[in-house]
Amino acid sequence: MAGRSKKYRVLIGKPGLDGHDRGAKVLARALRDAGFEAVYTGIRRTPEEIAAAAVQEDVSAVGLSSLSGAHLRLFPAVVEALKQRGAGDIPVLGGGVIPDEDLNALKQAGIVEVYTPGTSLAQVIEAFEKACDRHHQGRSKT
Amino acid sequence: MNREDLLQGLKARDPRAIARAISLVEDGDPLSETILGSLDESRIEQALVLGITGPPGAGKSTLTDQIILGYRARSQRIGVIAIDPSSAISGGAFLGDRIRMMRHALDSDVVVRSMATRGRLGGLCAAAGATVRILASSGCSPVIIETVGVGQSEMDIIRLADVTALVLAPGLGDDIQAMKAGLLEVADILVVNKADCAGAETLAMDMEAVARESRDKGGSTEVCMTVASRGEGVAELLETVAALEKIYRQGGEHGRRRRHAHDLEVLDWALELLRPKLLEKIAKSGTNRTGDPRLKAAAILKGF
Ligand code: B12
Ligand SMILES: Nc1nc2c(ncn2[C@@H]2O[C@H](COP(=O)(O)OP(=O)(O)OP(=O)(O)O)[C@@H](O)[C@H]2O)c(=O)[nH]1
Ligand SMILES: [Mg+2]
């Protein structure tokens, strides 16, 4: 936001074959309007592609959006791919059409938080703000 | 990542170290001077810096994706800096150029970095020059810079790039008219993209006329036609780039451009570093906020 001296960079990715990109774009624009630099990588990416892009773009958080039901496989795969690239410190948030009963499994797999339809954009932005804050604090310690 | 890891990582072309280094420089971190002082000057000198500019939607990102493909076929390691505008209101940015280049995401020899202008006018961001050097030093050649979608006055790319391609497309009539006294006159290559669309022939003829005029004045402007979405004409475009690079290097133009760009960038940074000191002087110069600002400035700089 205006008061922050350093810009937070985040990446919004859509893993898998899901073509519902409205939410991802709404999210990326809302982040822009809240002062974030939001990289969007488009639809139909593999978890490895999203992780590689997140590393090259040096983002402080990755947001994944899935509305097609493949989140249980794809979200943890992104976390794994980040770890393999030495970027396990980058927090991963998730959202989209995700049944309540899957939330625990996703958190167990390392997804920081999951947001389903009806979440306000203010809440989404706060979530990214928090994740980025924490990531930066961790970074300045090393 | 501590200082040693970062410098080691940069030498080893570690993707994370390269990415971190760019951020630190972009954010003005105290480490940036160490990073920039550690770069490989001879690699930077040898690398080709290729500018891709043009109005919004002309096909810059699509063409860049194809250009990457062309250079990768020759096993060259490539850097891409893709610049989008920052919102003047929030300071944030939507960085979307990368979408069109995602097929290269798993190729570790294609280093793509999206950057926001962060308030800078002119079509680039303040850290573009430093980012070019970091990428070139890591073995990237060419380093391709995709500017923001430009109007007529965003000319910074001409100064930073060794060869600049201005990408145009039919149906952007007014945009192109507006460039008549600007980019059109100084770009090295005029690319008529979307050659598959109606109006491309006419546009190409207009551009040929512009190029002829420039050549009459001793310039070396070339015209290329492409269908970026299908990769057509890209091989010819890369041949033209290579031919111009050779002419510029042999004729001394390359060195002249680099020196000029270097001096101007030093000036930019000198002014930037001076800014806080000047602000301090102004604040100390008394509480009186009347009087002519220009005269006050001259007074503050007296004895400088
Ligand atoms: C619009 C829509 C479409 C449009 C998509 C347009 C587009 N370009 O996006 C069209 C008509 C093309 C479409 C097609 C299909 N759709 Co549809 N579609 C919808 C619908 C009605 C709304 C989705 C939407 O855009 N919402 C608005 C955005 C802003 O909300 P959102 O994406 O949910 O995001 C919010 C939150 O979820 C959260 N969020 C989302 N992602 C993230 C990420 C992070 C990091 C965070 C923090 C938060 C977050 O924040 C946002 C703000 O609140 C939903 C129903 C629903 N209630 O969701 C079905 C729905 C998603 N579709 C569905 C289906 C089945 C299909 C089709 C397969 C239908 C078919 N048989 O042809 C196709 C497949 C398309 C494809 N290629 O993948 C099903 C999916 C079922 C499932 N998951 O099991 C749904 C749930 C409808 C249903 N109830 O059956 N669809
Ligand atoms: N018909 C046709 N469409 C093309 C061609 N090249 C690009 N496009 C389309 O033109 C649109 C814009 O392409 P981009 O590559 O995003 O253009 P850009 O100049 O990078 O746009 P900005 O970065 O937003 O300024 C996309 O829908 C492309 O698919 C072409 O040669 N022919
Ligand atoms: Mg673009």
Side-chain angles (χ1 to χ4, degrees):
Chain A
M1 313 274 290
R4 215 167 49 218
S5 64
K6 275 178 192 167
K7 285 269 175 293
Y8 282 154
R9 295 171 60 83
V10 298
L11 181 143
I12 301 298
K14 283 198 61 68
L17 299 177
D18 176 21
H20 292 91
D21 61 354
R22 199 196 281 167
K25 286 179 177 164
V26 166
L27 215 66
R29 298 226 164 78
L31 285 162
R32 173 196 62 193
D33 294 340
F36 288 79
E37 292 182 351
V39 180
Y40 178 49
T41 50
I43 55 171
R44 302 209 174 88
R45 304 323 330 176
T46 67
E48 288 75 21
E49 289 169 343
I50 290 172
V55 167
Q56 285 194 343
E57 298 290 358
D58 192 42
V59 294
S60 293
V62 171
L64 302 175
S65 176
S66 169
L67 284 75
S68 69
H71 48 270
L72 277 181
R73 185 173 58 80
L74 294 169
F75 286 8
V78 173
V79 173
E80 201 44 50
L82 281 170
K83 276 188 193 144
Q84 276 181 8
R85 289 169 189 272
D89 56 300
I90 301 178
V92 179
L93 312 179
V97 177
I98 292 164
D100 286 347
E101 60 262 34
D102 292 347
L103 298 184
N104 252 333
L106 290 176
K107 286 195 185 162
Q108 296 275 305
I111 312 294
V112 177
E113 196 60 71
V114 177
Y115 299 84
T116 49
T119 313
S120 74
L121 288 174
Q123 261 174 294
V124 170
I125 284 158
E126 200 191 313
F128 275 98
E129 193 89 43
K130 252 199 216 145
C132 291
D133 278 344
R134 222 174 307 127
H135 187 246
H136 268 239
Q137 279 158 15
R139 216 171 227 179
S140 46
K141 266 189 232 122
T142 54
Chain B
M1 202 178 285
N2 64 31
R3 185 169 173 271
E4 301 326 311
D5 289 346
L6 184 71
L7 294 178
Q8 276 300 316
L10 269 181
K11 288 222 160 61
R13 301 184 177 183
D14 169 50
R16 250 207 134 182
I18 294 170
R20 280 274 55 219
I22 293 170
S23 301
L24 290 168
V25 168
E26 191 179 29
D27 291 338
D29 189 277
L31 258 182
S32 21
E33 290 183 12
T34 313
I35 293 165
L36 295 172
S38 78
L39 301 179
D40 183 335
E41 291 297 329
S42 82
R43 279 232 174 80
I44 294 170
E45 165 52 33
Q46 279 155 27
L48 168 68
V49 182
L50 176 59
I52 306 288
T53 190
K60 298 180 293 298
S61 300
T62 311
L63 189 61
T64 300
D65 171 60
Q66 291 287 346
I67 292 173
I68 297 170
L69 213 57
Y71 284 116
R72 283 306 286 145
R74 303 179 213 165
S75 300
Q76 286 172 248
R77 178 174 158 88
I78 297 151
V80 178
I81 304 169
I83 304 172
D84 273 315
S86 299
S87 153
I89 299 162
S90 73
F94 180 105
L95 305 173
D97 291 320
R98 195 190 180 98
I99 299 171
R100 312 221 183 269
M101 309 172 197
M102 280 303 284
R103 72 167 107 183
H104 308 288
L106 294 181
D107 184 342
S108 57
D109 282 323
V110 179
V111 187
V112 180
R113 178 60 174 242
S114 311
M115 299 180 86
T117 53
R118 297 194 179 179
R120 167 105 170 198
L121 306 173
L124 300 179
C125 52
T131 306
V132 165
R133 285 191 288 282
I134 291 171
L135 292 176
S137 172
S138 89
C140 294
S141 181
V143 176
I144 304 170
I145 307 165
E146 178 186 340
T147 71
V148 301
V150 299
Q152 49 184 321
S153 56
E154 290 89 349
M155 306 258 276
D156 283 2
I157 188 64
I158 299 293
R159 157 184 143 184
L160 184 58
D162 299 322
V163 176
T164 298
L166 171 60
V167 184
L168 303 165
L172 301 169
D174 288 347
D175 279 334
I176 293 168
Q177 276 306 320
M179 282 178 186
K180 281 268 154 72
L183 272 168
L184 265 184
E185 288 184 324
V186 288
D188 302 296
I189 306 175
L190 304 174
V191 180
V192 177
N193 186 40
K194 307 199 187 182
D196 56 326
C197 294
E201 284 297 329
T202 318
L203 178 58
M205 266 153 43
D206 286 353
M207 292 307 107
E208 284 293 353
V210 172
R212 228 175 296 124
E213 213 172 292
S214 133
R215 282 195 292 261
D216 288 346
K217 291 183 200 149
S220 38
T221 313
E222 297 284 345
V223 178
C224 289
M225 287 185 87
T226 58
V227 183
S229 47
R230 298 201 296 253
E232 289 169 26
V234 174
E236 292 79 1
L237 171 61
L238 294 192
E239 274 168 32
T240 306
V241 170
L244 284 178
E245 185 192 9
K246 196 168 167 203
I247 291 171
Y248 292 157
R249 280 194 192 264
Q250 287 174 348
E253 174 71 8
H254 174 86
R256 196 191 61 73
R257 285 190 186 186
R258 287 262 178 130
R259 283 191 297 277
H260 184 60
H262 185 86
D263 289 355
L264 287 177
E265 211 180 327
V266 173
L267 175 65
D268 274 357
W269 283 114
L271 292 173
E272 196 57 38
L273 297 175
L274 232 111
R275 183 177 292 271
K277 298 190 177 111
L278 288 174
L279 279 171
E280 201 178 315
K281 270 201 154 189
I282 294 166
K284 278 192 194 145
S285 71
T287 49
N288 185 3
R289 293 293 186 274
T290 54
D292 185 72
R294 178 175 171 159
L295 297 181
K296 259 194 182 172
I300 283 171
L301 287 179
K302 205 163 269 164
F304 171 75

